[in-house]
Amino acid sequence: MPASELFEFASQLFPLHRSLTGSGVRQTLKIISDHIPIQIHEIPSGTSVFDWTVPKEWQINSAYLLDKNGKKIIDIKNNNLHIVQYSTPIDRVVSWKELKDHLYTIEDLPDAIPYITSYYQPNWGFCLTHHQLQSLPHEPYHAFIDSRLFSGSLTYADLVIPGKSTREVLFSTYFCHPSLANDNLSGLVVATFLAKYLLKLKHRQLTYRFVFVPETIGSLTYLSQHYFDLKTKVIAGFVLTCLGDTNTYSFMPSKTGTCLADKVALKALADLAPEYRHYSFLQRGSDERQYCSPGIDLPIASIMRSKYGEYPQYHTSKDNLQFISSKGLVQSYQIYKYCINILENNHHHYQTNCLGEPHMSKRCLYPTIGRRSLAPSTRDMMNLLMFSDGKSDLVTISNQIGLSFKQAQKIARTLVAAGLLKRQPPSN
Ligand code: ZN
């Protein structure tokens, strides 16, 4: 796969005006469906999903602000962040006093346009740079928003890629942000290419489920329809978000911090990118809020690059195609591919075949001359045997003994071949 493919895909999707619902979402999913065979679903506005209700569909045709000379000073044709997402329609001259309460800027980032939403409270507004706001004369303006809120539907998509086992790995990502690259176009891109990779992977051990939803209301909707299924099948899952830049990796654990997804993510980070930032679940912010909520309690973690809310460009026009890169997207894709490789090769628990330390030297696995200290390779072997208690899988053991997953795999194979270790199916 040429590295540029991921970035080109991001560039293709970037301009579309996505929101919680609407045509930008459908266009996005249509383009994704050219790559992977997703199933697209429409859930009618007004449907109850747990404590929430699927909102009305939003259609935005055009929006601009005219000065007294009829000059367009803001136009969503130039940047779809210029409108408060889910703005109600307006077509009238408004006083400066009224208008200023509907204009949004970021004082600390004066040349960035903020991303603002008002999904559940009818409102209208424009977003602009603070510099532009400061340059505007305080006079009446003509506010024009051609939008429609109507009983339509919320769109989401999923794809189940079956493996030998019905045990599932969930990848969930969200598409509700308009032209914002790291949060979360990067998640859509990496999800699509991981699904492409898995579709070509022969002899898949596990089943993989990809979910494309609008954040929060979409994951709630998906869970309200599938959570019995997910609860019985999902052994590990990841929220794919903020995967496009090249800054230090970030790790968001599951609520317990000890599930399979945590162990796999930590192993992948330790092996490929040990300089990562380990966040607390208390700093959560994406769909793990739903997947890990009480009663749902799915084993979901997240590996990110710059975490949402933690980088200055977040939720602004600065989170654009210049902020992400081909390199960042490909590295993120590779780290999740590595997670998949761990999961595909982690379907056994290991148990030693004898009580006490096995007599290694009679099997030519131990030096026959006793020295002051063990060679590292011998110590690794003894450590792996020591933690092979029949209750632990290889990713757990490799984390405990500080070996890469590949090193642990190699030693386990040697010990199985020597008859010292047996593999057994996991109990759960
Ligand atoms: Zn966001």
Side-chain angles (χ1 to χ4, degrees):
M1 179 193 69
S4 57
E5 261 190 69
L6 277 80
F7 190 80
E8 280 166 20
F9 191 51
S11 309
Q12 185 186 4
L13 295 175
F14 185 77
L16 297 175
H17 197 153
R18 286 168 288 276
S19 188
L20 279 195
T21 60
S23 58
V25 168
R26 294 193 186 94
Q27 287 169 48
T28 299
L29 293 177
K30 167 80 186 61
I31 294 170
I32 290 173
S33 74
D34 292 339
H35 291 260
I36 52 172
I38 47 173
Q39 300 279 322
I40 297 173
H41 310 267
E42 300 282 349
I43 310 301
S45 306
T47 304
S48 291
V49 290
F50 300 136
D51 197 37
W52 296 58
T53 304
V54 172
K56 287 185 172 169
E57 185 171 329
W58 186 56
Q59 184 184 323
I60 178 77
N61 299 320
S62 63
Y64 48 80
L65 200 60
L66 298 174
D67 68 11
K68 64 180 181 190
N69 301 317
K71 187 181 162 204
K72 279 183 190 168
I73 54 162
I74 293 173
D75 189 345
I76 62 162
K77 276 188 190 152
N78 300 325
N79 193 316
N80 57 34
L81 295 174
H82 272 314
I83 184 88
V84 170
Q85 311 298 314
Y86 261 65
S87 275
T88 50
I90 184 168
D91 181 11
R92 61 181 170 83
V93 173
V94 289
S95 68
W96 177 256
K97 188 170 177 295
E98 182 184 357
L99 180 65
K100 68 179 172 46
D101 292 335
H102 293 269
L103 296 180
Y104 298 86
T105 67
I106 311 168
E107 218 169 324
D108 297 343
L109 215 57
D111 56 348
I113 306 164
Y115 162 53
I116 306 286
T117 65
S118 185
Y119 299 137
Y120 299 102
Q121 275 299 323
N123 204 342
W124 63 271
F126 291 94
C127 308
L128 62 162
T129 68
H130 199 69
H131 281 150
Q132 188 179 11
L133 177 70
Q134 285 174 317
S135 73
L136 290 182
H138 294 188
E139 56 192 24
Y141 290 84
H142 186 151
F144 179 82
I145 298 174
D146 177 8
S147 65
R148 202 158 74 88
L149 281 156
F150 60 101
S151 283
S153 58
L154 175 151
T155 314
Y156 76 76
D158 62 358
L159 168 64
V160 176
I161 304 173
K164 276 188 199 157
S165 166
T166 55
R167 291 148 60 89
E168 278 189 10
V169 177
L170 172 69
F171 286 106
S172 181
T173 192
Y174 56 94
F175 52 59
C176 48
H177 294 34
S179 295
L180 294 169
N182 201 39
D183 176 27
N184 184 41
L185 189 52
S186 63
L188 295 181
V189 171
V190 171
T192 303
F193 279 79
L194 286 176
K196 281 176 89 153
Y197 163 71
L198 281 162
L199 286 162
K200 285 189 194 146
L201 185 69
K202 286 181 185 151
H203 313 301
R204 286 181 301 269
Q205 297 295 330
L206 298 168
T207 292
Y208 293 84
R209 183 187 295 251
F210 286 81
V211 174
F212 298 81
V213 284
E215 202 174 20
T216 306
I217 188 66
S219 50
L220 285 165
T221 301
Y222 196 80
L223 282 167
S224 75
Q225 298 183 334
H226 297 92
Y227 90 100
F228 283 118
D229 215 20
L230 298 184
K231 290 256 317 170
T232 51
K233 292 178 179 167
V234 172
I235 58 165
F238 304 91
V239 172
L240 299 176
T241 175
C242 297
L243 292 165
D245 65 295
T246 47
N247 293 328
T248 310
Y249 280 95
S250 306
F251 172 61
M252 171 58 61
S254 71
K255 190 165 62 182
T256 66
T258 57
C259 71
L260 179 59
D262 295 308
K263 291 174 188 172
V264 169
L266 287 170
K267 184 79 276 174
L269 286 163
D271 289 1
L272 301 184
E275 302 293 316
Y276 63 93
R277 277 203 189 110
H278 192 133
Y279 285 93
S280 153
F281 186 71
L282 300 179
Q283 293 162 289
R284 69 195 175 278
S286 188
D287 279 331
E288 66 278 355
R289 288 162 28 231
Q290 316 312 328
Y291 291 121
C292 299
S293 61
I296 299 209
D297 296 313
L298 288 171
I300 307 295
S302 204
I303 298 174
M304 295 165 266
R305 302 304 292 248
S306 293
K307 178 184 169 288
Y308 43 78
E310 301 285 335
Y311 56 101
Q313 298 88 344
Y314 169 72
H315 278 196
T316 78
S317 54
K318 300 276 183 190
D319 186 352
N320 55 25
L321 291 172
Q322 282 72 54
F323 181 59
I324 65 165
S325 66
S326 188
K327 185 178 170 193
L329 290 167
V330 170
Q331 286 178 342
S332 298
Y333 164 78
Q334 297 289 4
I335 207 162
Y336 273 108
K337 220 169 97 172
Y338 194 85
C339 290
I340 290 169
N341 180 59
I342 294 174
L343 286 159
E344 284 287 302
N345 290 285
N346 192 52
H347 42 279
H348 290 109
H349 284 183
Y350 286 82
Q351 180 150 31
T352 53
N353 277 330
C354 63
L355 294 174
E357 274 189 353
H359 192 174
M360 302 295 273
S361 57
K362 76 179 183 191
R363 296 174 174 92
C364 302
L365 291 170
Y366 203 83
T368 48
I369 305 289
R371 294 184 190 275
R372 292 178 67 205
S373 61
L374 287 175
S377 58
T378 312
R379 178 155 290 282
D380 290 342
M381 197 177 281
M382 300 314 291
N383 281 342
L384 199 140
L385 281 166
M386 180 57 81
F387 284 88
S388 293
D389 55 5
K391 297 175 197 146
S392 301
D393 54 12
L394 202 54
V395 71
T396 306
I397 298 170
S398 62
N399 276 329
Q400 284 169 318
I401 66 177
L403 285 185
S404 78
F405 190 76
K406 281 185 180 156
Q407 287 171 314
Q409 250 186 315
K410 196 174 160 201
I411 295 174
R413 269 192 221 115
T414 305
L415 294 171
V416 169
L420 289 174
L421 210 56
K422 67 181 171 204
R423 289 192 290 214
Q424 54 195 38
S427 49
N428 62 334

